């Protein structure tokens, strides 16, 4: 059975990927499952550069160990605000300085948009997936979801900028949406559904 190695230790992300790829003849594992302790520096200028770099480094490591019959999957995701010329973009997780400080990141975003009208608060979440197999064949998939940035935090669910990102079709923020609602229409959900079709070609 072909192995899909997710270049992440984010348990929520791994769970989501496993759920969407369920039913395929594929062994889905994380870096932790494979005892891989590699911290890839995300210094690319685009989501694709970062996602591809992560996938390539893990692929090279597996090949150096003599592994075959595998695919490496990685992603880089973030928020792009039109008014801010695409900020925070690739710096989404470390917008305020420290990586993963959701509270500070949200505070900085709200400050930058202080006084900006609703019409100018359009934003989108981006998920860039990179897939590299043991023959170094590269595939990429991108998923988007459009909405706008609220003036205040709304909801306690999700993570990152979810409580500030309002999605009109649901008439609520991602922070108010259930995980089931979000997974159906999220940027990562959209990208993973496209990815599933690519992976089927390997099996």
């Amino acid at each position: 059975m072909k192995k899909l190695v997710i270049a992440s230790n984010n348990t929520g992300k791994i769970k989501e990927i496993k759920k969407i790829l369920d039913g395929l003849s594929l062994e889905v594992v994380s870096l932790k499952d494979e005892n891989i302790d590699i911290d890839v520096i995300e210094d690319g200028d685009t989501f694709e550069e970062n996602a591809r770099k992560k996938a390539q480094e893990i692929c090279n490591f597996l090949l150096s160990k003599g592994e075959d019959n595998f695919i490496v999957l990685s992603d880089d995701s973030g928020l792009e605000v039109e008014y801010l010329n695409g900020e925070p973009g690739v710096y989404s997780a470390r917008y305020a300085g420290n990586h993963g400080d959701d509270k500070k990141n949200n505070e900085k975003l709200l400050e930058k948009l202080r006084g900006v009208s609703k019409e100018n608060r359009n934003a989108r979440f981006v998920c860039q997936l990179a897939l590299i197999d043991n023959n170094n064949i590269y595939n990429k998939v991108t998923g988007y979801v459009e909405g706008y940035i609220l003036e205040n935090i709304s909801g306690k669910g999700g993570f990152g900028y979810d409580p500030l990102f309002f999605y009109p079709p649901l008439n609520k923020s991602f922070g108010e949406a259930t995980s089931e609602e979000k997974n159906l229409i999220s940027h990562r959900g959209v990208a993973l559904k496209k990815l599933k079709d690519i992976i089927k070609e390997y099996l």
Side-chain angles (χ1 to χ4, degrees):
M1 182 180 288
K2 189 173 284 289
K3 182 185 294 182
L4 177 76
V5 181
I6 305 168
S8 173
N9 283 311
N10 182 314
T11 54
K13 190 181 295 184
I14 292 163
K15 185 178 179 181
E16 190 174 327
I17 291 170
K18 285 185 174 181
K19 186 172 183 180
I20 289 177
L21 299 182
D22 187 42
L24 297 181
S25 182
L26 194 67
E27 181 189 1
V28 183
V29 297
S30 67
L31 295 181
K32 186 177 181 181
D33 293 332
E34 294 295 289
N35 295 311
I36 298 174
D37 185 19
I38 296 176
D39 188 19
V40 179
I41 298 171
E42 298 178 29
D43 54 2
D45 294 324
T46 65
F47 292 120
E48 186 188 352
E49 284 179 22
N50 284 333
R52 186 168 188 170
K53 183 181 182 185
K54 282 188 279 189
Q56 189 66 67
E57 287 199 25
I58 301 303
C59 177
N60 291 346
F61 175 76
L62 291 170
L63 289 173
S64 73
K65 286 176 58 183
E67 296 256 0
D68 60 9
N69 200 31
F70 67 82
I71 315 168
V72 177
L73 169 66
S74 72
D75 88 328
D76 196 35
S77 305
L79 179 72
E80 294 180 335
V81 180
E82 196 174 301
Y83 181 82
L84 300 177
N85 297 312
E87 284 188 23
V90 294
Y91 303 104
S92 291
R94 54 190 187 279
Y95 195 37
N98 293 326
H99 193 282
D101 191 335
D102 293 348
K103 185 174 184 292
K104 292 289 186 184
N105 289 338
N106 282 321
E107 287 173 354
K108 180 175 181 178
L109 181 60
L110 286 174
E111 183 59 36
K112 285 225 171 189
L113 292 175
R114 187 181 299 278
V116 176
S117 67
K118 176 183 173 182
E119 291 73 24
N120 291 313
R121 300 173 78 96
N122 294 331
R124 69 177 184 177
F125 272 122
V126 182
C127 174
Q128 182 70 49
L129 299 179
L131 200 68
I132 300 179
D133 68 11
N134 51 279
N135 294 312
N136 264 314
I137 295 173
Y138 169 65
N139 280 285
K140 63 179 180 177
V141 176
T142 312
Y144 302 102
V145 63
E146 308 273 351
Y148 64 87
I149 303 302
L150 295 167
E151 293 184 7
N152 296 289
I153 294 288
S154 183
K156 296 181 179 179
F159 59 93
Y161 301 94
D162 284 353
L164 287 180
F165 184 82
F166 190 87
Y167 183 61
L170 284 181
N171 197 34
K172 62 179 76 172
S173 76
F174 270 11
E176 297 171 296
T178 65
S179 59
E180 290 77 17
E181 286 175 324
K182 183 186 166 190
N183 289 347
L184 281 173
I185 47 79
S186 77
H187 49 309
R188 186 169 293 112
V190 169
L192 284 170
K193 287 181 183 71
K194 294 180 186 176
L195 182 81
K196 191 171 184 177
D197 291 330
I198 293 174
I199 288 177
K200 283 177 180 176
E201 296 175 10
Y202 284 99
L203 306 178

